[in-house]
Amino acid sequence: MQLLNSALARLSEDYLGGISVDRVVTVVGVLLSYVLAHAFQRIPARMAAAKHIFSIVSTIFLFGPVQEQYTGLIHMAVGSAAIYGLIRWIKSAYMPYIVFLVAMLHMSYSHIQRQIHERSTGAVVMDYTGAQMVFVIKVTSLAFCVYDGRPNVVHPHMSAYQRKNAISRVPGVLEYLGYVFFFAGFSVGPAFELATYRKMIALDDTRARRQLPRRAYRKLLEGAFWMVIYVAYSNVYTYQAMTKPQFYAHRSLLSSALYMCTTGLVVRSAYYTAWKMGEGACILAGLGFDGYDAHGAVQWMDIANVHVRGVELGSSLRQLIDSWNVGTNTWLRHHVYLRISRTPADGARASSTRATVLTFLVSAWWHGFYPGYYLTFVLIALAANAARILRRNLHAIAALPADNHASALRRCVKCAYDVAGWILSKYTLDFAAAPFMVLSLQPSMQLWRDNYFVVPLAVLGIFIAFNVLGAGRFIRSLVGQPQPAPGKKTGKRLKK
C-alpha cells in the first residue's frame, strides 16, 4: 500500500523522530493483528478449517499489501511446500535433520541477499528475513515433533517438553499452513509448537475467552511504553556514536560505560516494543491456552518473546540470556542442544562441550552472517562461562543459610553480591551486544578498543585466575570449604 507507506513516512518525520518507515510499518501490522485477533477468536472451535483459512488470508494481507513483503511471501510459500513434502514423505530417522538443513540453507540465501542489498545501498532495513527466522523455528520444531511422535521409534531420552509436544501424525496441509502462517506472530514472533496452536484452535470456553482482552492489552500497553522510550531517545543514544574517536575526547571510562548501558536499554526498547505487542496479539487470538488445573481453573502457558524484568533486573548473565528471545532459546535447547547431547543409558551425563559449541554455531548461523553477530556470540559464550566460574566459587561467600537465619552483616554481603552481579552482568551484556548492532567488523573492534577491551580482558583474567593460578582453592580455604577431590572439577556433575 503505497498510500499507507507515504502517510507513515510523514508520521515518522513529523512525530516519531525520523524512525525508519519499515519499523513503523511493522508496528502497524502488529496493531492490525489485534483487530484480526478479535475476529479470529469468534470463529467457533468446530470450524477449525475456517480458522486456518482466516489465519492464512490475514497473514497474506498483513505481510503483502500492508508491509509490502511480497518477495518474502513467495519465499516462505515455496519453502513451506518443500518442507511439508519432506516431513510427509521421508520416513528415515534423518528426516528432521534434512528439514533443518534445507530450512537453514534457504534462510541463509535470504540473509546473504539482504547483506548484499544493504552493502550496495548503505541502508539497513527490516525485510522478510525476520519473519523467515520465526518460520524456520516453526518448521524445524514441527519436523522434530513429528519424528518424536512416530510409534515405531523408541526415544528413551526425550525431555518432558519433547514428550508433551510430540505429534503422532503429520498434520493436514490446511492445518500446517494455518500454523506456519499464523498471522498474529508471523512477523515478530513468538514462535511456538503445533501442539500449542492446536489448543488455541480448539479453545471453546467462554470463561477463558473473557480473560483474553485483559491479558492481551496489558502486553500492548507494555509495548507502547517501550515505544515511547525508543522514540524519545533512539537518536540520542546509539552504538554508532561510540564508534567515532571524538566521542571519547572528553569522556572517562565510567562515563562511556554509563552511556553504553543507557544505549543498550534504548536499543532493546525497540525489540520490547515489537515483541510485547506481538505477544499481546497472539494472546488475544487465544494462543497459550493450556487446559484446566485440578480445580477447574483455566491454565495459560507462557507465550513470550522476552521477559523484560529478567533482562533488565537479572543478577547473573545466565538469567539475562535466558530471559532474552525466549522462543529462540527454547528451540535451541530442545531441538538443537538436547538432540546432540544425549543422556547415556546408565544415567550419567554426557559431555556437553560438543553440544554447546554446535548449539552456539547454529544460533550464529540462524541470525545471519554479519561479522558483528559472531563477535557478540563468541564474547557472550566466553563471558557466560567466566560468570559461571565466578558464581561457582564466590556464591558460598554470599549465600544465606538454609534456615534464612543470617546476621545483618551476612545479609549486607548478600545484597552487595547481588547488586555487583547485576551491574557486571548488565555492562557485559551491553558491551558484548555492541557489535550485534554495529554489524561491521572494523567499527566494532574500534568501539571495543576505545573501551579498553574491558570485558574480553576481564574474561581472560578470570580464566587465568581460576583455571591456571588456582584462585578457587584459595577462596575455598579462606571461607573454610572443603577442597575438591584430585582430578575432579568443582561444579561438574560426577559420573554415577
Side-chain angles (χ1 to χ4, degrees):
M1 291 184 179
Q2 191 63 40
L3 184 61
L4 174 62
N5 284 342
S6 299
L8 292 177
R10 290 194 297 272
L11 175 68
S12 174
E13 188 67 31
D14 295 340
Y15 302 103
L16 301 180
I19 294 175
S20 60
V21 177
D22 53 312
R23 289 181 180 270
V24 180
V25 171
T26 299
V27 172
V28 169
V30 174
L31 292 176
L32 287 174
S33 296
Y34 280 77
V35 179
L36 295 169
H38 275 291
F40 179 83
Q41 64 166 281
R42 284 168 171 74
I43 301 175
R46 65 179 183 276
M47 300 174 62
K51 285 193 167 187
H52 301 322
I53 294 171
F54 183 94
S55 182
I56 297 166
V57 172
S58 296
T59 292
I60 293 173
F61 167 71
L62 293 173
F63 209 62
V66 174
Q67 294 184 243
E68 296 186 336
Q69 298 291 351
Y70 296 104
T71 300
L73 275 177
I74 294 172
H75 269 283
M76 280 175 275
V78 173
S80 62
I83 288 169
Y84 184 79
L86 294 175
I87 293 174
R88 176 165 285 278
W89 299 114
I90 297 180
K91 304 301 181 182
S92 77
Y94 295 106
M95 181 275 290
Y97 302 98
I98 294 172
V99 168
F100 195 97
L101 183 62
V102 170
M104 291 291 284
L105 287 175
H106 183 193
M107 185 174 63
S108 297
Y109 171 81
S110 299
H111 279 315
I112 292 170
Q113 288 295 110
R114 175 190 176 185
Q115 288 182 223
I116 293 173
H117 174 75
E118 290 177 354
R119 179 171 294 182
S120 63
T121 61
V124 178
V125 297
M126 292 181 66
D127 65 351
Y128 66 88
T129 53
Q132 192 172 12
M133 291 164 77
V134 178
F135 170 86
V136 166
I137 292 178
K138 284 185 175 182
V139 295
T140 54
S141 298
L142 176 62
F144 280 113
C145 289
V146 169
Y147 174 72
D148 290 340
R150 287 180 176 176
N152 60 332
V153 179
V154 178
H155 305 282
H157 311 306
M158 285 173 60
S159 67
Y161 178 93
Q162 291 166 351
R163 285 193 295 271
K164 178 182 178 180
N165 291 287
I167 299 168
S168 59
R169 294 178 58 188
V170 177
V173 174
L174 190 58
E175 182 185 32
Y176 167 78
L177 293 176
Y179 163 67
V180 170
F181 289 93
F182 177 60
F183 68 96
F186 187 75
S187 294
V188 298
F192 48 88
E193 305 284 4
L194 178 62
T196 304
Y197 177 77
R198 284 176 168 174
K199 289 180 179 180
M200 176 191 66
I201 294 296
L203 176 58
D204 193 22
D205 186 299
T206 303
R207 184 177 38 144
R209 286 204 296 266
R210 287 200 192 104
Q211 299 179 20
L212 297 177
R214 176 177 56 83
R215 298 178 65 249
Y217 284 104
R218 185 185 302 165
K219 300 287 187 181
L220 178 61
L221 290 175
E222 188 176 352
F225 167 79
W226 290 111
M227 182 172 66
V228 171
I229 298 296
Y230 184 75
V231 169
Y233 298 106
S234 60
N235 289 330
V236 180
Y237 295 96
T238 67
Y239 279 117
Q240 282 69 24
M242 299 187 71
T243 63
K244 299 175 172 56
Q246 58 267 31
F247 174 86
Y248 303 93
H250 303 290
R251 288 182 185 269
S252 64
L253 179 61
L254 177 60
S255 175
S256 297
L258 290 174
Y259 182 95
M260 180 180 289
C261 290
T262 306
T263 299
L265 175 62
V266 172
V267 167
R268 287 191 296 276
S269 68
Y271 290 90
Y272 295 158
T273 298
W275 282 351
K276 284 299 172 184
M277 289 183 175
E279 289 173 20
C282 289
I283 291 171
L284 189 59
L287 196 68
F289 174 69
D290 200 22
Y292 310 90
D293 63 15
H295 304 287
V298 178
Q299 292 189 116
W300 300 98
M301 64 183 70
D302 182 25
I303 298 297
N305 278 311
V306 62
H307 296 137
V308 177
R309 182 175 298 179
V311 175
E312 302 302 335
L313 300 179
S315 60
S316 70
L317 188 59
R318 172 50 56 189
Q319 185 179 358
L320 269 62
I321 294 171
D322 289 345
S323 299
W324 178 262
N325 211 348
V326 176
T328 303
N329 283 334
T330 301
W331 172 64
L332 289 171
R333 174 170 177 76
H334 293 285
H335 297 305
V336 180
Y337 180 84
L338 292 180
R339 306 286 174 176
I340 301 168
S341 179
R342 294 292 188 182
T343 305
D346 62 2
R349 180 177 291 276
S351 173
S352 63
T353 302
R354 182 173 67 98
T356 300
V357 170
L358 290 175
T359 302
F360 158 74
L361 291 175
V362 168
S363 178
W365 182 14
W366 180 77
H367 278 87
F369 302 102
Y370 282 107
Y373 293 167
Y374 293 82
L375 290 177
T376 293
F377 295 138
V378 169
L379 183 55
I380 282 288
L382 295 174
N385 193 24
R388 199 159 44 241
I389 293 173
L390 279 180
R391 184 167 290 270
R392 188 169 63 224
N393 287 279
L394 300 180
H395 184 70
I397 299 176
L400 296 176
D403 58 7
N404 212 28
H405 292 153
S407 64
L409 177 60
R410 193 68 179 268
R411 292 184 181 278
C412 287
V413 171
K414 178 63 167 66
C415 181
Y417 175 82
D418 289 339
V419 171
W422 174 68
I423 293 173
L424 293 175
S425 298
K426 288 293 294 178
Y427 181 70
T428 299
L429 176 67
D430 293 324
F431 186 100
F436 191 93
M437 302 308 301
V438 175
L439 300 179
S440 300
L441 179 62
Q442 193 278 330
S444 297
M445 296 303 295
Q446 178 70 40
L447 188 156
W448 278 3
R449 185 181 69 182
D450 289 336
N451 286 274
Y452 304 101
F453 293 104
V454 171
V455 173
L457 290 177
V459 169
L460 179 62
I462 291 169
F463 287 153
I464 293 174
F466 288 91
N467 294 340
V468 179
L469 302 180
R473 288 182 173 272
F474 172 76
I475 292 172
R476 283 188 292 276
S477 64
L478 192 66
V479 299
Q481 279 191 321
Q483 299 292 346
K488 299 291 184 181
K489 293 183 180 180
T490 59
K492 297 282 186 182
R493 185 175 297 182
L494 299 183
K495 193 171 183 178
K496 295 181 180 179

